[in-house]
Structures are given as structure tokens and as C-alpha cells.
Amino acid sequence: MSICTPNVSHHDQTLLSLEAGKHVLVEKPLSVTLDEGIEMVETAERMGKMLSVGFQPRYDDNIKLVREIVQSGQLGGVYYAELGGGRPRGIPGGTFIRRDIAGSGAIADIGCYSLDMALYALNHPRPLTVSAFSGNRLGTNPAICPEADRFDVEDFGVAFIRFENDMVMTFKTSWAMHLDSMGSTFFLGSEGGLKLGSGRTGAWGGSFDCLGDIRMYRDMMGRQTETVIPLSGQPLDEPFFLKISDFVRAIRDDAPAPVPASEILVQQTIIDALLRSAAQKREVDVEWPSILRR
């Protein structure tokens, strides 16, 4: 069963499908709330069915290479990651800007891509605290957004995230801003750094189709070196095909979920904390589900 309906319906349709004995591929984001995501993962486990989430960037050869480099240890221990991202102008319309249907705005729509890329590369470390801000000053401006009178989600979000392995991360995303870029995405480690550049106007936000280059920085003979890593020539539409075919193949072969919902639940804990922190205007603790403690 493939669920690609508006965000607010992901939870109920996934539960109905799982309880009907179906394996489920649900599009991102997993759910509107953390509690819904937990129930979805628990139901899949109880029914003995696969629950996978549609993050096609994971099937891009370049994103897989980023993970391979980080996991290889060539950067040493990663202590900081900064997720550049967003669009100078790119506010969607329709259901995307309605809180009652989408749940949230830019954070869940495109911010989830950069979060998934980073967490996937870092092997899903446990987040501890989040301090965040969100706003919608451009989305509610009729001169910028034609549907400003219906706009009630965030068009901008930024957060400082602390993890249990003595690592921190800065998260940034936007649908619109008065700037060409909020900077590159990069990882800093004790032995090297990795920087992901944008191939378009504006910062790369974790989505494979905006990646411009990959650069590694390391010391050699007492000097810092910069290595440009060639990008794959993989067709841009291939990850979308692989996302579906891999799900079907996993069902046929009785294999694990290609993008396990339990992994995406880690991301969901961060988004939940981010939205709570922004609303409360203070740092908050991440609520860690018991199903992830097993």
C-alpha cells in the first residue's frame, strides 16, 4: 500500500492499511505528531508488517557517498553539523500552507530532507535537547505569497540540537527569505570536514536534486587540503523509481523495510521538539519513545 495523501491523513490511513494486513510505504513526513508516529511504528510491529517512509534522496548515489564517508571514520569523530537549506522564494500553495491539513510548513515539507540526510549519515544518534525559532513573516505577506490570507504554518525554522554523543547540530530551513543562501551543509570532525555545496540559487537543503558539489577537507603534511569529489551522473528521476522498486522487492524477498519508520521516528522526535520549543520560546527536552529504547 502506497500512501501519498496530505500529511494529516498519514496516521489513520497507515493504521487502517496495516491492520488490514498490508505492508505500507508512506510518503514523508511520517506523521503530523510524534504520538501518531509512535502509534504507526507500534502497529506495524504488532501486525508484523513493513512500514517504510518515502525518502527518495537516500537512493541518490551522492547521498549514499556522504554517508559512506562519514561512517568510514575519515572525518574522525563528528562533533558539529550545520544544515544549510531553504529557498529564497518557493512557497507552495494549497494544502501545504494549511495547518489543519499539513500539520506544519517548511520544517516538515523540506526541512525533513536535510534532517534525514544528516541523521542517516551519522547513523541516527539520539537527540537530547532542542532550542528553536520559527516564523511566517513572508508567507503572510500578500506581496510575496498570493495565498497569504490562508497561510497559517511556518515558512522559516532554525534550531540548535544537542545529541548524546557530545555532538551538536544547527538546523535551518525556509520556503522564502530575503537572501540568496543560508550557507552550505557541512560536517566537522576531529580529522576532517565535509561540505555539500548548492547547484542552484540558495542553499542546498538535503534534497539530492539541488546538490552542486562535495568537498572534503583534511590535513596532509602539515597543511589543510581540499578535495573536490566528483558527483555521480545518476539520472535525477532514478531515486524515485528506486524508492518504489526497493519497497516492492523487500516485500517479495521478505526483507527489512528499505527506509525503516523507526529511523524516521528519530527525526520525528526532533521535529516535535523543534515545534514545541518554537511555540514555548525556550529550550526543550526531546521526548524519546520507549519503542526506540529496545
Side-chain angles (χ1 to χ4, degrees):
M1 178 68 70
S2 178
I3 296 176
C4 44
T5 53
N7 302 347
V8 72
S9 63
H10 286 186
H11 169 259
D12 289 350
Q13 292 184 358
T14 294
L15 294 190
L16 288 171
S17 300
L18 291 170
E19 290 168 352
K22 308 297 183 182
H23 299 291
V24 174
L25 171 63
V26 60
E27 282 303 317
K28 61 82 184 171
L30 173 64
S31 59
V32 168
T33 69
L34 176 58
D35 286 341
E36 288 179 349
I38 293 171
E39 187 175 13
M40 291 161 71
V41 173
E42 289 178 339
T43 301
E45 186 175 278
R46 173 171 56 83
M47 296 301 298
K49 295 298 175 182
M50 182 193 312
L51 177 56
S52 189
V53 187
F55 277 95
Q56 63 273 357
R58 289 209 191 183
Y59 291 93
D60 179 72
D61 290 340
N62 301 303
I63 302 300
K64 290 189 283 188
L65 178 61
V66 169
R67 172 180 164 85
E68 184 178 345
I69 291 171
V70 173
Q71 289 296 307
S72 72
Q74 294 184 66
L75 303 184
V78 176
Y79 57 88
Y80 180 69
E82 183 162 318
L83 310 184
R87 306 167 180 162
R89 289 292 188 276
I91 299 176
T95 62
F96 286 90
I97 63 173
R98 291 179 50 185
R99 188 170 301 278
D100 63 332
I101 297 178
S104 63
I107 292 169
D109 177 40
I110 59 174
C112 67
Y113 281 127
S114 56
L115 265 178
D116 185 66
M117 181 280 301
L119 295 173
Y120 178 59
L122 293 163
N123 208 25
H124 298 90
R126 176 175 173 175
L128 300 176
T129 62
V130 174
S131 182
F133 169 85
S134 68
N136 60 2
R137 293 181 171 94
L138 274 68
T140 54
N141 182 347
I144 294 174
C145 179
E147 299 180 74
D149 59 331
R150 300 174 56 248
F151 197 102
D152 65 353
V153 294
E154 81 287 343
D155 59 42
F156 173 85
V158 61
F160 184 78
I161 308 161
R162 189 177 298 276
F163 293 84
E164 67 176 357
N165 57 353
D166 203 25
M167 187 197 77
V168 293
M169 178 185 294
T170 299
F171 164 87
K172 297 174 288 185
T173 195
S174 75
W175 274 339
M177 57 184 169
H178 293 298
L179 201 66
D180 63 336
S181 169
M182 287 195 291
S184 299
T185 288
F186 59 87
F187 300 85
L188 295 181
S190 57
E191 302 297 326
L194 191 67
K195 182 179 179 181
L196 314 181
S198 173
R200 300 181 180 180
T201 301
W204 180 68
S207 187
F208 67 99
D209 55 348
C210 296
L211 183 59
D213 56 30
I214 302 175
R215 296 171 185 262
M216 180 181 287
Y217 299 83
R218 300 190 71 191
D219 286 352
M220 182 178 295
M221 306 297 291
R223 300 183 181 183
Q224 179 167 274
T225 64
E226 177 183 357
T227 302
V228 178
I229 301 174
L231 295 180
S232 163
Q234 182 183 27
L236 288 179
D237 60 350
E238 186 172 284
F240 292 90
F241 170 78
L242 293 174
K243 173 177 69 173
I244 303 299
S245 63
D246 205 21
F247 174 69
V248 173
R249 189 179 301 109
I251 294 174
R252 183 196 66 190
D253 298 341
D254 195 25
V259 183
S262 57
E263 288 184 0
I264 307 307
L265 201 56
V266 177
Q267 177 191 132
Q268 204 76 25
T269 66
I270 295 175
I271 292 177
D272 170 80
L274 196 160
L275 296 173
R276 285 190 290 113
S277 173
Q280 298 173 25
K281 303 183 187 303
R282 64 179 182 86
E283 183 178 68
V284 301
D285 292 332
V286 173
E287 295 182 1
W288 193 246
S290 59
I291 194 169
L292 295 180
R293 300 188 189 122
R294 300 173 188 172

